Amino acid sequence: MTSSQRIARRLFTSSANPLFTSKRVPIQLRPRIATRYASTSTSTDALPISRLRTFLYATSIAASGYVAYVYVTDTRAFVHRYVTPPLLRFLYPDAEEAHDVAISSMKTLHSLGLHLRERPSFTPEGPDLSVSVFGSQLANPIGISGGLDKHADIPDALFALGASIVEVGGCTPRPQDGNPKPRMFRVPTLDGLINRYGLNSRGADDMAMRLRERVRRYAKSVGLDEASVLNGEANVPPGSLLPGRMLLVQIAKNKETDERDVEAIKQDYVYCVQRLARYADVLVVNVSSPNTPGLRDLQAVEPLTKLLSAVVDEAQRADRKQKPKVMVKVSPDEDEDTQMEGIVQAVWASGVDGVIVGNTTKRRTGLIPPKINITSKEQHTMTETGGYSGPMMFDRTLELVRRYRKMLDGQTLQSVPTTETRKVVADEAVDASIMGIEGTIAAFSENEPKQSSTKPLEQKVIFATGGISDGRSALEILNAGASVAMVYTVLVYGGAGSVTRMKSEMKKEMAGKKA
């Protein structure tokens, strides 16, 4: 054994070698300790509580959303009077742009079922506001004038605001753009408007298509066809498609039609009747717009009688059982006795059913109340060409209603005019004998029809528009002899809840007088 081998052996067998000095510790198994997990009963008990909490949160959110929906879509909501109108004026300095945005918004919201609507009040109803017009019972005597819904885009959305009458148009036979922009101006201090639209229209064919589609949608919803609805089988008026409501369709001539050619003008109106009469409860003949050259000249007795006779005759040919009524819209500026008497003669001679008294005025006198200072911008606006509308028109409208009521009740033809006699009368410039009838209307509802020497004649109906802005002024107009008070400008400044508010004011006024 060599020395190196001996040294290695000694090293590996020596007790100083740490490999041999460390004792192997036997592997010991740790005692198994049973692990106790948390009981699942607490978690199971908490689950229904968690679900209940989630349900309550969801219900609260849904209830809050529903309450917000009901509030925002109610015409009585604060925002629709004090927030929306001034906000529109601020965002859209151009009045026509604001008008277009409002119409577009109402159309969209109605299509989604999110439109504003008049909801029933939880307080006692008070006096009944229903009124008889053309033998039909209207829910109330408030209407919305033409010009707001020029193209029949939103008649149903306007009915939802609470009015019993909605007038769409004016509509011309052929499309026309109207006057150049800007053409609508605000006078906020006076809550007034000036417009010179010039009867911008998409034409009678376009409006007829829109109204026809509306009737067809309704017919489908009640399981009928178009003809059945128009013939009254749905038990609603064929125009409004709502009980206690009426749809008025305003018609006018095109600007390009020669105002000196009465026959051409007649054809304009007749074409509109042919296209629109089926879908209207009442046709309104507009001869009073101040923004169409020569239109107001048609209010002379001879051309007016010829024109109205042609419209009445064509309306009687409408393809449905109950024919539409016909009314004529007259200017507030034609206020001389001779002018008014000529219009009254034409109304009786032609067989027209009624008169809408009032439109915008060209005059600027008496429109600014004493001690009211308007801004320099508003002073400039008042010099703009166009027709003015606003509360300061009220006194003029009230006086005209009284005078027309007296004239219409005080003059009748000796016999009921037929088609032939109307044409003879028109050709002879209404050289007909006139007899007086005693009594005038001065109550909220209509009196019995007056009697003539040969056959009883129905009393001519009056609708009034111009300056009506609250319940008190509406009652005054009705008591002066009108059957319906119509509004427009108050909706611009008072918001979508104006009709609801006016009716509430009327009820309070009537209840106060009875007490």
Side-chain angles (χ1 to χ4, degrees):
M1 184 181 292
T2 62
S3 59
S4 60
Q5 290 175 327
R6 285 195 297 269
I7 294 170
R9 183 177 181 181
R10 189 179 296 120
L11 175 65
F12 281 102
T13 57
S14 173
S15 60
N17 189 338
L19 294 174
F20 293 97
T21 57
S22 59
K23 296 181 179 180
R24 292 184 65 139
V25 179
I27 298 175
Q28 297 180 354
L29 297 176
R30 294 183 180 181
R32 190 162 189 166
I33 301 173
T35 304
R36 184 177 183 184
Y37 294 98
S39 173
T40 58
S41 62
T42 304
S43 176
T44 305
D45 293 342
L47 186 59
I49 297 176
S50 176
R51 289 179 177 175
L52 178 61
R53 186 180 296 113
T54 303
F55 173 76
L56 291 175
Y57 285 155
T59 303
S60 299
I61 293 172
S64 300
Y66 179 73
V67 170
Y69 159 76
V70 171
Y71 173 78
V72 172
T73 58
D74 194 314
T75 55
R76 295 169 295 181
F78 174 91
V79 294
H80 301 315
R81 183 178 186 181
Y82 297 105
V83 177
T84 303
L87 185 62
L88 278 173
R89 293 198 296 271
F90 174 76
L91 294 176
Y92 302 98
D94 181 78
E96 183 176 357
E97 187 178 2
H99 174 271
D100 292 342
V101 167
I103 296 299
S104 177
S105 300
M106 292 181 70
K107 184 176 181 178
T108 301
L109 290 172
H110 190 272
S111 67
L112 298 173
L114 301 175
H115 57 285
L116 275 67
R117 66 204 73 184
E118 184 180 73
R119 288 192 167 86
S121 174
F122 295 104
T123 59
E125 285 297 316
D128 182 22
L129 294 182
S130 63
V131 59
S132 177
V133 176
F134 298 131
S136 299
Q137 201 71 15
L138 295 183
N140 60 77
I142 303 298
I144 296 177
S145 293
L148 187 63
D149 185 10
K150 291 179 174 294
H151 312 299
D153 285 317
I154 55 167
D156 295 307
L158 293 179
F159 277 122
L161 300 182
S164 65
I165 296 281
V166 170
E167 180 185 1
V168 299
C171 181
T172 57
R174 298 170 298 282
Q176 63 180 27
D177 294 330
N179 293 323
K181 298 180 181 181
R183 53 192 181 182
M184 189 174 185
F185 310 91
R186 304 185 187 102
V187 190
T189 302
L190 304 178
D191 285 350
L193 292 173
I194 293 175
N195 90 79
R196 53 169 179 261
Y197 275 109
L199 288 171
N200 54 311
S201 171
R202 298 174 190 160
D205 291 341
D206 180 87
M207 183 177 285
M209 178 184 66
R210 189 171 292 104
L211 294 176
R212 182 176 63 248
E213 288 302 315
R214 176 173 172 266
V215 171
R216 289 178 176 177
R217 287 195 303 270
Y218 177 82
K220 185 177 180 180
S221 71
V222 297
L224 296 173
D225 57 21
E226 177 186 350
S228 298
V229 171
L230 293 176
N231 287 324
E233 294 180 27
N235 296 318
V236 294
S240 68
L241 305 178
L242 293 166
R245 306 286 194 274
M246 285 186 182
L247 179 70
L248 278 57
V249 177
Q250 183 192 128
I251 58 177
K253 81 175 188 71
N254 277 109
K255 183 178 181 179
E256 64 188 22
T257 304
D258 188 353
E259 62 267 21
R260 296 165 296 182
D261 189 343
V262 177
E263 289 303 315
I265 293 171
K266 281 170 53 178
Q267 290 307 310
D268 272 9
Y269 285 92
V270 166
Y271 183 82
C272 288
V273 176
Q274 292 170 342
R275 303 296 294 134
L276 298 168
R278 298 185 75 216
Y279 311 108
D281 297 313
V282 181
L283 291 166
V284 178
V285 181
N286 184 354
V287 292
S288 59
S289 170
N291 302 309
T292 300
L295 191 62
R296 289 190 171 184
D297 295 341
L298 295 175
Q299 293 175 109
V301 61
E302 182 176 359
L304 183 59
T305 304
K306 290 181 179 180
L307 171 60
L308 295 180
S309 297
V311 170
V312 170
D313 292 343
E314 193 62 41
Q316 290 303 307
R317 300 188 185 100
D319 185 19
R320 72 182 201 205
K321 288 182 179 179
Q322 185 177 1
K323 311 305 181 184
K325 301 294 184 179
V326 178
M327 302 184 77
V328 58
K329 195 166 195 174
V330 298
S331 167
D333 297 338
E334 310 297 319
D335 56 359
E336 298 291 332
D337 285 342
T338 54
Q339 293 172 320
M340 294 175 64
E341 287 169 359
I343 290 171
V344 168
Q345 288 184 25
V347 166
W348 279 109
S350 63
V352 163
D353 301 287
V355 178
I356 298 183
V357 176
N359 204 328
T360 57
T361 178
K362 288 182 176 181
R363 299 175 183 174
R364 297 294 185 266
T365 57
L367 297 179
I368 304 176
K371 300 182 181 180
I372 296 295
N373 296 319
I374 62 176
T375 66
S376 58
K377 180 181 178 181
E378 291 173 328
Q379 289 176 353
H380 175 73
T381 300
M382 291 294 286
T383 65
E384 292 282 357
T385 302
Y388 176 89
S389 62
M392 289 304 294
M393 287 284 295
F394 175 72
D395 289 341
R396 189 179 303 177
T397 302
L398 182 64
E399 180 62 23
L400 284 173
V401 169
R402 288 173 176 154
R403 293 169 65 191
Y404 269 110
R405 181 78 277 162
K406 186 174 182 179
M407 289 183 180
L408 287 167
D409 288 352
Q411 296 187 30
T412 62
L413 296 178
Q414 289 184 337
S415 61
V416 180
T418 63
T419 301
E420 292 77 13
T421 58
R422 284 202 303 268
K423 290 180 179 178
V424 170
V425 171
D427 291 339
E428 296 177 356
V430 202
D431 187 17
S433 58
I434 305 299
M435 61 179 298
I437 293 180
E438 295 182 356
T440 60
I441 187 169
F444 183 71
S445 61
E446 297 174 307
N447 289 336
E448 293 297 320
K450 307 303 178 182
Q451 304 291 326
S452 72
S453 59
T454 58
K455 185 177 179 178
L457 295 176
E458 293 185 1
Q459 186 184 56
K460 300 300 182 183
V461 172
I462 293 178
F463 292 179
T465 180
I468 302 167
S469 57
D470 55 28
R472 180 185 290 268
S473 58
L475 281 176
E476 286 190 60
I477 285 289
L478 298 171
N479 289 329
S483 296
V484 172
M486 305 187 74
V487 299
Y488 177 174
T489 308
V490 67
L491 292 168
V492 175
Y493 288 97
S498 298
V499 173
T500 301
R501 187 168 59 253
M502 287 176 64
K503 292 192 294 185
S504 177
E505 293 168 350
M506 291 170 67
K507 289 180 179 181
K508 290 179 182 178
E509 186 80 12
M510 293 167 67
K513 289 183 178 179
K514 289 182 178 179

